[in-house]
Amino acid sequence: MGYVGERITRRLFLTALGLFFLLATACNQIERPNIEPFYAVSAPPRIQELRWANGKSPVSFDPARAASPPETDLIRATYEGLTELDSKTLKPIPAVAVNWRSSEDLRTWTFQLRPEAKWSNGEPVTAQDFVRSWKRLLELGDRTANNHLFQNIVGMNTWDTPSDRRGGEARDFLQSTPPEINPSTSLPVNREPFRGPPNVAPTPSTQASETVAPVEDKEDSKVVDKKFGVTALEGRVLQVVLTVPDKDFPKLVANPIFRPVFGDGVNFEASPKDPEAPTNGPFRIIKSEQGTITLGRSETYWNKDSIRLTQVRLVAADTAEAALDAYRNGEVDVVTNAPFEPVAIKLLTPFEDFRRTPHNAVNFYEVNTDRHPFSDRRVRQALALSIDREKITDGDLQGTTQPAYTFSPLRQKRAYNYAFDIKKANDLLDKAGYPGGNGFPPIRLVINRNDVQQRVAASITRMWKQNLNLDAEIIVKEASEMEEVRRTGDFDLLRRGVVLPTNDELVNLAAVRGIGRKELAAAKQEPADVISQPLPTSIQSELEISSETPPDFPGADDDSEDVLEIPDGTDEALFEMTAIPLYFPTSYSLIKPYILGFELNGLDAPSLKEVRIDNNWQPGKPENES
């Protein structure tokens, strides 16, 4: 583009930006204060009341149907599960369960429930409440939210019949697909629950140390899979048996769907938004009206003395503009779950009360490893290393996302990543038999029809051409056609985006990689009495492609706890790169400076247990931490 063209483009951009600011000022009076570092300054409430705009009105008060905010926010406030996740570290901490232990093979987990846990009607919370509630999940089947999360519990695998595209065998929980990401907003599609198995297109604290000790009786794990693997051993002892070993199971059961409901939950069938249903969390619903749900501190909660907030008002906002307006006018103290437009994000970014957090979701290209030359790990690695993700996130995505060098924003520091490295990419392609890209067939990249994804695909295919001299064809399909393309394997690379509503590494890794249950267990070298199979042929053949040591990656020698621990000799099997991560969606929020303890994290799981209000806060005055 010449000098004149650049001036015209710049003038058009400035004109458009000016028009936006004029419109925003007229509609929402969005303007930056002259002095204060905050977007909107208002006096704090006189009482310990939090006013929170967290999206539209909840469609259900039922934990079994809580897939994402605002439902999950309400459930976390009013119900408590076996464990909670620390808002800062996302590590499991005691909740209804005061401690837990595992068998040596990590398939049997035993939770000891605290005797002081009660429902809001005064009844004790027992292990049988969890058994009954989890059986209800099984009965509800695809009417539950995120039902891929409980498929690993013995007797709860509801996906016995769908066939996998790679051979027709039954697809198990490790081959499940969490809800898709809307490529325009980078949020889950419609924020609706995932309602079916993966071959069906989804619908457009007290701080204590974790106790994980071996169970003496190893026979606990030898349970016939047809049994229901959730048992109340005593009134306050719950035992759960898994199909596949899972070291992160205490993290998984912190998800809202695993929280118990009182009785048989039949009241939610008649009224999904029943405010009278007994709850066991730190807050209870005291009023539900159009546009506002009011919560009060529960007097029966076992740790009520630690809860500082006396009241919470969940204020519905149908649009980001409505939420922003309420925040500016001092009607709400916190705004989350608002899909701000890129220009609004740029405007808000300088303010101290504006926060941005990587969401535990990833957009990526799945690689069809059944096709040559993509069956060669070195080829897949070269494609991944030749993508400049920062250029994509800053340019095509206008700074609204973050580059993905791994598959989880919660564990960015890993033993292996996909950092941009043209030289290494070309070396790998050369060793795979395609020096300078010569002889490499055109890449068939299938994406869904979306302006954002088409821009991203165009940029990536240009990078492959410029950096590796590889040609690519972009094939655009309707969203409704994507699952069929994936099922039949009619692609070289396929655009996907998944929301990962947990930080259970086993579930998340499998959801992205698409590895089968037995294959993953064998790759991780589980004990022979659990998985008595050799390394799968599909993995063996890939390892035989090259006898060379895997290429070095940044951080390979890092021994911090954030690095994934992999047994010697199995790193290739776990890091076969059957998918290429591209970017992480980002969630945005506004939090008034007098709100303390409201921690944001990648799971969209803020806890209200530590939140309090500095009622004496004033502009220019340091936060009162007393």
Side-chain angles (χ1 to χ4, degrees):
M1 182 183 295
Y3 176 74
V4 175
E6 291 179 351
R7 290 191 61 186
I8 293 174
T9 300
R10 177 177 176 80
R11 184 174 301 172
L12 288 173
F13 172 78
L14 292 175
T15 300
L17 190 60
L19 288 173
F20 171 83
F21 286 150
L22 287 174
L23 179 61
T25 302
C27 298
N28 300 302
Q29 300 181 5
I30 302 177
E31 55 185 37
R32 179 167 184 169
N34 294 325
I35 300 175
E36 299 297 339
F38 307 108
Y39 171 70
V41 177
S42 58
R46 295 184 178 181
I47 61 174
Q48 289 292 316
E49 179 188 47
L50 177 70
R51 300 163 300 176
W52 181 7
N54 64 335
K56 298 181 180 181
S57 295
V59 297
S60 172
F61 299 168
D62 184 356
R65 292 175 168 87
S68 55
E71 286 80 9
T72 50
D73 293 331
L74 177 64
I75 298 306
R76 287 191 178 94
T78 55
Y79 289 87
E80 187 171 71
L82 293 170
T83 63
E84 293 279 7
L85 295 180
D86 183 280
S87 294
K88 292 182 179 179
T89 66
L90 291 179
K91 293 182 178 180
I93 57 177
V96 173
V98 67
N99 58 56
W100 50 89
R101 55 182 179 163
S102 74
S103 58
E104 290 183 353
D105 61 17
L106 297 175
R107 288 185 61 211
T108 300
W109 289 85
T110 305
F111 297 85
Q112 177 70 51
L113 277 56
R114 62 179 72 249
E116 63 271 31
K118 294 181 179 180
W119 294 97
S120 55
N121 60 6
E123 294 288 329
V125 178
T126 67
Q128 192 59 41
D129 289 325
F130 285 91
V131 174
R132 187 167 48 245
S133 297
W134 292 11
K135 278 186 177 179
R136 177 173 176 258
L137 292 177
L138 181 61
E139 293 165 358
L140 290 172
D142 61 7
R143 290 184 291 158
T144 62
N146 295 324
N147 58 13
H148 64 287
L149 298 183
F150 57 74
Q151 301 296 318
N152 189 30
I153 298 174
V154 166
M156 293 187 71
N157 187 338
T158 61
W159 294 348
D160 291 331
T161 54
S163 60
D164 181 76
R165 72 170 177 84
R166 297 189 187 277
E169 69 274 14
R171 185 190 292 254
D172 56 42
F173 91 101
L174 286 178
Q175 294 165 304
S176 64
T177 303
E180 282 283 327
I181 294 173
N182 184 320
S184 298
T185 64
S186 295
L187 295 174
V189 173
N190 291 339
R191 290 288 195 176
E192 289 290 335
F194 180 50
R195 301 190 181 280
N199 69 329
V200 178
T203 301
S205 108
T206 48
Q207 185 72 26
S209 59
E210 173 182 349
T211 302
V212 180
V215 173
E216 294 182 2
D217 186 2
K218 295 182 180 180
E219 292 300 314
D220 286 344
S221 64
K222 300 182 183 301
V223 177
V224 179
D225 283 6
K226 291 183 179 179
K227 287 186 176 181
F228 186 66
V230 186
T231 309
L233 298 183
E234 300 173 14
R236 300 192 185 277
V237 178
L238 183 75
Q239 185 179 86
V240 185
V241 181
L242 308 179
T243 302
V244 174
D246 185 1
K247 66 181 177 60
D248 290 333
F249 188 67
K251 296 179 181 179
L252 180 66
V253 295
N255 187 275
I257 70 166
F258 292 104
R259 307 199 177 199
V261 296
F262 184 78
D264 56 10
V266 68
N267 53 302
F268 288 120
E269 301 306 316
S271 176
K273 300 172 68 172
D274 180 10
E276 303 297 327
T279 58
N280 72 324
F283 298 91
R284 62 183 182 86
I285 299 175
I286 58 177
K287 184 187 296 184
S288 177
E289 52 192 3
Q290 186 66 32
T292 303
I293 298 174
T294 304
L295 310 179
R297 184 169 55 194
S298 175
E299 294 302 314
T300 61
Y301 181 58
W302 64 270
N303 199 24
K304 66 177 182 178
D305 293 339
S306 69
I307 307 301
R308 298 289 297 273
L309 293 175
T310 59
Q311 192 164 286
V312 177
R313 273 198 286 149
L314 302 178
V315 182
D318 290 337
T319 65
E321 291 76 14
L324 195 62
D325 193 49
Y327 184 85
R328 190 193 66 82
N329 293 333
E331 298 167 4
V332 298
D333 310 303
V334 175
V335 173
T336 61
N337 195 34
F340 293 119
E341 294 295 331
V343 179
I345 292 171
K346 291 181 179 179
L347 171 67
L348 293 168
T349 296
F351 297 108
E352 293 181 18
D353 50 346
F354 180 68
R355 316 282 179 86
R356 55 191 303 163
T357 308
H359 188 57
N360 195 34
V362 60
N363 278 266
F364 60 96
Y365 287 159
E366 179 178 336
V367 185
N368 189 347
T369 57
D370 290 341
R371 289 190 173 187
H372 184 76
F374 305 99
S375 55
D376 191 324
R377 175 179 52 79
R378 295 166 298 188
V379 168
R380 303 192 295 271
Q381 215 161 18
L383 293 174
L385 295 175
S386 61
I387 298 174
D388 187 345
R389 290 163 179 78
E390 291 190 12
K391 184 176 291 187
I392 292 170
T393 56
D394 293 344
D396 298 300
L397 299 172
Q398 303 179 59
T400 60
T401 63
Q402 295 193 9
Y405 297 103
T406 67
F407 287 102
S408 172
L410 304 181
R411 296 174 65 88
Q412 284 274 44
K413 199 173 184 181
R414 304 296 289 272
Y416 295 91
N417 66 30
Y418 304 96
F420 182 50
D421 192 328
I422 297 177
K423 182 181 183 303
K424 186 176 294 183
N426 276 281
D427 288 344
L428 286 166
L429 201 62
D430 190 358
K431 293 176 181 178
Y434 302 97
N438 293 324
F440 200 95
I443 301 168
R444 297 180 72 253
L445 171 61
V446 179
I447 65 172
N448 53 297
R449 188 178 301 280
N450 175 275
D451 290 342
V452 172
Q453 292 307 321
Q454 288 179 249
R455 289 200 304 271
V456 170
S459 293
I460 290 176
T461 53
R462 280 197 301 270
M463 293 176 189
W464 286 335
K465 181 63 177 178
Q466 294 170 359
N467 300 334
L468 300 177
N469 192 32
L470 301 181
D471 295 317
E473 175 189 6
I474 300 174
I475 302 169
V476 180
K477 296 286 186 178
E478 299 299 331
S480 58
E481 300 176 286
M482 293 293 284
E483 185 58 35
E484 178 65 13
V485 171
R486 184 169 186 254
R487 187 187 68 80
T488 59
D490 187 21
F491 66 94
D492 294 333
L493 280 83
L494 178 77
R495 183 264 163 188
R496 286 182 59 201
V498 296
V499 180
L500 305 172
T502 176
N503 58 343
D504 182 306
E505 191 165 347
L506 177 74
V507 176
N508 290 350
L509 177 66
V512 173
R513 304 292 175 117
I515 302 174
R517 179 181 71 198
K518 295 178 181 178
E519 293 167 317
L520 182 62
K524 293 181 70 174
Q525 292 186 343
E526 300 295 353
D529 60 342
V530 179
I531 301 294
S532 57
Q533 288 194 1
L535 196 64
T537 304
S538 59
I539 293 181
Q540 288 181 1
S541 62
E542 296 224 20
L543 297 181
E544 291 169 359
I545 291 174
S546 172
S547 59
E548 298 176 351
T549 302
D552 293 332
F553 286 78
D557 297 325
D558 193 333
D559 59 357
S560 69
E561 67 173 344
D562 287 332
V563 176
L564 180 64
E565 296 180 2
I566 306 170
D568 292 340
T570 65
D571 52 350
E572 289 180 275
L574 280 179
F575 289 86
E576 278 302 310
M577 202 172 302
T578 59
I580 299 174
L582 300 176
Y583 61 88
F584 298 126
T586 304
S587 58
Y588 304 95
S589 58
L590 287 159
I591 303 176
K592 291 292 177 70
Y594 51 75
I595 301 297
L596 308 178
F598 193 102
E599 297 291 340
L600 301 169
N601 53 61
L603 289 178
D604 269 348
S607 171
L608 299 182
K609 293 181 180 180
E610 291 83 30
V611 176
R612 64 186 180 89
I613 296 171
D614 182 357
N615 304 109
N616 299 316
W617 182 88
Q618 297 177 9
K621 177 183 176 182
E623 292 181 356
N624 181 9
E625 295 292 346
S626 61

